[in-house]
Amino acid sequence: MQDDPIRIVIAGGGTAGWMTAAALGRFLGKGFSVRLIESDEIGTVGVGEATIPQVRLFNQALGIDEDEFLTATQGSYKLGIEFVGWRAPGHRYMHAFGDIGRDVGLVPFQHYWRRAKGLGFAKPLSHYSLNEIAARAGRMHRGGPITARTIPPLPYAFHFDAGLYAAFLRRFAEDLGVRRTEGRIADVERQGADVRALRLASGERIEADLFIDCTGFRALLVDSEFEDWSHWLPCDRAVAVPSAAGGEFTPYTRATAHAAGWQWRIPLRRRTGNGHVFSSRHMSEDEATAILLANLDAEPAGEPRTLRFATGKKREAWAGNVVSIGLSSGFLEPLESTSIFLIQSAVQRLLKLLPGRTVRAADRAEYNRQTDFEIERIRDFIILHYVLNERHEPFWAEMRAIQVPETLRAKLDLFAASGRITREHEELFTEVGWLQVMIGQGLLPEGYHPLAGTIPEQDLAEYMDTIEKLYAREVAQMPGHAEFIARHTKKIPA
């Protein structure tokens, strides 16, 4: 019947399922019914505990109070990601959120910094990043500037327990009328790429107009081939384990390079999330586990578990009447904390291109075009961290020698020649993000914009010095990370 609501069924819970359910419950009206099917028998991956600032937009759009969210998810703040040993053992740099320095007219700051470096008085980029200065000092602030109106706000994201976030969003979604069904999917009834119905182990048959596949790596619903990117990103395993809270309570994530991959460290209030991403061609699981356990800040709070994956994407994230969201649509290792963002972005894209009772090919094609562009550019950014390295292990030597995608090669060549960075509107990572990683990995441009050469040398030196002093003064007025959290969240029960 035309008056019946359009039926949307989400297969799978976890972060992807409940983010999708919460958004659909919040923004769809009475003309839609939203139902989520999940089984308590099936676990979730649950390692996506670090985010980028866009997650704040998602929570704000839902009307979620930030302090309530942080309390419920045992969250902490994140100002960037530190990379240890990626360029070479012992070397470290940070990809901090926010700007570096201040642009002058049409000329980005890096051109002035490059000229000042050639003249011998530029300091490392970190001295001109408000976020990195605050992160290194272990301080946090939100809202307007404290000391001067010319100082930009401090962009931030979060570390949180992904399982608690899913539970938080489940309560939110169910309050909005999303219906949850407990059950294991036993069969998928298909007609070509379309799904007609799901049959549960209980025997119940569930029909819908639109299905959303949030079943993780299993990808039970979406009928689309997998495009493998392991020739660019060969890491295919991760050993994960939580540990008791210990070490520095940093307002940033840490990614530490090892012989055949890297280790993440994500500090929460009650524990620390840890994992070792590695290539099984270059290292055994036992060796990877031993390296992880030897590099924890405190005793492990559980048994290590291994995740197996292949980097790549579905050729069609939306096939037939099935939209795949989360791990069912593809996987990129969590090096730049993009997993939760990709869920958020997919949900936003679906809302913009939401079909009625009929799924139209043009809408589906546009969804897939945008999805492909976004994940391919994120892929390039992750490859960037690997190919510019000076390490001597076989894994890293192989990464230096790979033939990178042409889209990445164009960015590298342009920056190396002139310090210029181009970015298309729909790309996730900013010019400043690319700048920090390329400089951090040792790529210094040969030249700079000619307009950067028109400022007198003394004025340039004063300009650089002023930025550094302004940011240092601002950070000195900020409270400590732990103190700031204590002010704005409730104490976590023991």
Side-chain angles (χ1 to χ4, degrees):
M1 297 290 292
Q2 193 66 30
D3 292 336
D4 291 339
I6 296 172
R7 302 162 299 175
I8 299 177
V9 166
I10 303 167
T15 308
W18 286 112
M19 284 182 72
T20 304
L24 297 185
R26 170 69 176 82
F27 293 111
L28 299 187
K30 294 182 179 179
F32 294 83
S33 70
V34 181
R35 185 175 182 182
L36 185 145
I37 302 166
E38 68 175 338
S39 172
D40 291 333
E41 300 174 12
I42 301 172
T44 57
V45 172
V47 297
E49 295 171 337
T51 58
I52 56 178
Q54 283 81 351
V55 72
R56 294 174 53 213
L57 300 177
F58 182 81
N59 286 348
Q60 289 167 5
L62 295 183
I64 291 172
D65 178 81
E66 185 170 296
D67 293 347
E68 181 184 352
F69 150 78
L70 280 170
T71 299
T73 61
Q74 300 183 13
S76 62
Y77 288 94
K78 174 182 173 182
L79 301 177
I81 307 173
E82 181 187 40
F83 293 93
V84 179
W86 282 76
R87 176 177 171 184
H91 181 268
R92 62 181 62 209
Y93 70 93
M94 186 174 289
H95 171 197
F97 304 138
D99 293 333
I100 300 288
R102 301 293 294 274
D103 297 348
V104 179
L106 298 175
V107 181
F109 174 78
Q110 73 257 23
H111 296 279
Y112 297 96
W113 176 83
R114 179 65 183 91
R115 181 188 172 209
K117 186 172 180 62
L119 292 170
F121 56 78
K123 294 183 179 177
L125 281 178
S126 58
H127 288 247
Y128 311 104
S129 165
L130 181 64
N131 267 55
E132 182 162 355
I133 295 169
R136 298 291 186 192
R139 295 176 181 266
M140 176 60 202
H141 173 68
R142 67 187 185 195
I146 302 169
T147 60
R149 287 182 298 175
T150 56
I151 293 176
L154 197 71
Y156 61 90
F158 309 105
H159 302 129
F160 56 75
D161 184 309
L164 293 178
Y165 186 47
F168 179 82
L169 291 178
R170 174 183 169 180
R171 295 189 295 271
F172 180 90
E174 288 183 318
D175 286 345
L176 292 171
V178 174
R179 179 184 172 192
R180 177 188 183 273
T181 297
E182 162 64 31
R184 180 175 58 82
I185 298 172
D187 187 41
V188 179
E189 296 182 16
R190 302 182 183 276
Q191 183 175 343
D194 286 344
V195 169
R196 291 306 179 197
L198 305 179
R199 192 173 297 278
L200 305 187
S202 64
E204 183 179 3
R205 185 177 180 274
I206 300 173
E207 296 182 343
D209 301 293
L210 181 71
F211 290 88
I212 301 177
D213 189 341
C214 296
T215 62
F217 288 129
R218 297 174 298 150
L220 292 179
L221 275 59
V222 66
D223 183 17
S224 178
E225 293 181 357
F226 184 78
E227 183 177 319
D228 194 306
W229 290 343
S230 59
H231 55 294
W232 287 315
L233 294 167
C235 289
D236 59 354
R237 301 283 191 279
V239 182
V241 67
S243 64
E248 294 179 280
F249 185 45
T250 58
Y252 55 90
T253 309
R254 179 176 294 136
T256 302
H258 291 309
W262 61 279
Q263 178 175 333
W264 75 74
R265 178 185 183 272
I266 302 172
L268 306 181
R269 285 189 280 165
R270 290 277 297 272
R271 65 179 176 86
T272 300
N274 311 278
H276 184 187
V277 177
F278 65 100
S279 165
S280 63
R281 285 199 300 110
H282 299 85
M283 180 177 290
S284 71
E285 184 177 325
D286 287 345
E287 185 180 1
T289 303
I291 290 172
L292 173 63
L293 294 177
N295 287 278
L296 301 180
D297 293 325
E299 290 298 314
E303 290 296 319
R305 60 192 181 104
T306 300
L307 309 170
R308 300 188 174 199
F309 54 82
T311 298
K313 70 173 186 69
K314 292 291 187 180
R315 294 193 182 278
E316 292 183 305
W318 183 348
N321 66 343
V322 179
V323 180
S324 56
I325 292 180
L327 297 177
S328 61
S329 66
F331 180 80
L332 290 172
E333 59 189 73
L335 182 61
E336 283 283 354
S337 307
T338 53
S339 298
I340 286 176
F341 166 78
L342 285 168
I343 297 168
Q344 170 186 344
S345 179
V347 173
Q348 180 181 2
R349 190 174 301 120
L350 175 60
L351 285 169
K352 288 181 178 179
L353 295 168
L354 189 71
R357 296 184 190 280
T358 301
V359 175
R360 303 191 183 280
D363 292 333
R364 186 168 55 224
E366 178 60 16
Y367 181 96
N368 288 330
R369 184 198 69 79
Q370 293 181 24
T371 299
D372 289 349
F373 179 90
E374 180 176 75
I375 196 169
E376 286 168 4
R377 295 310 185 274
I378 295 173
R379 172 205 65 195
D380 288 357
F381 193 61
I382 293 175
I383 295 171
L384 170 66
H385 297 67
Y386 285 102
V387 296
L388 299 176
N389 80 80
E390 301 164 15
R391 297 182 65 102
H392 302 297
E393 299 94 337
F395 170 81
W396 293 96
E398 286 183 23
M399 293 307 298
R400 276 197 304 276
I402 67 170
Q403 184 174 351
V404 302
E406 287 302 314
T407 44
L408 174 56
R409 174 50 56 197
K411 275 191 167 65
L412 290 172
D413 290 346
L414 181 65
F415 183 75
S418 63
R420 292 183 171 92
I421 302 170
T422 59
R423 171 181 173 271
E424 296 181 57
H425 175 68
E426 294 173 323
E427 288 188 46
L428 169 62
F429 290 106
T430 64
E431 292 92 338
V432 173
W434 282 89
L435 171 68
Q436 291 175 88
V437 177
M438 286 193 284
I439 292 292
Q441 294 291 145
L443 182 61
L444 188 68
E446 293 180 11
Y448 50 82
H449 196 290
L451 288 178
T454 62
I455 297 179
E457 184 176 326
Q458 182 61 36
D459 291 349
L460 179 61
E462 291 177 1
Y463 167 69
M464 306 292 287
D465 185 59
T466 297
I467 292 174
E468 180 185 14
K469 288 179 177 176
L470 279 173
Y471 288 177
R473 186 182 67 176
E474 176 78 3
V475 169
Q477 301 302 311
M478 297 177 182
H481 182 213
E483 177 188 350
F484 187 86
I485 291 173
R487 289 183 190 178
H488 293 280
T489 61
K490 297 176 183 178
K491 185 176 180 181
I492 301 172

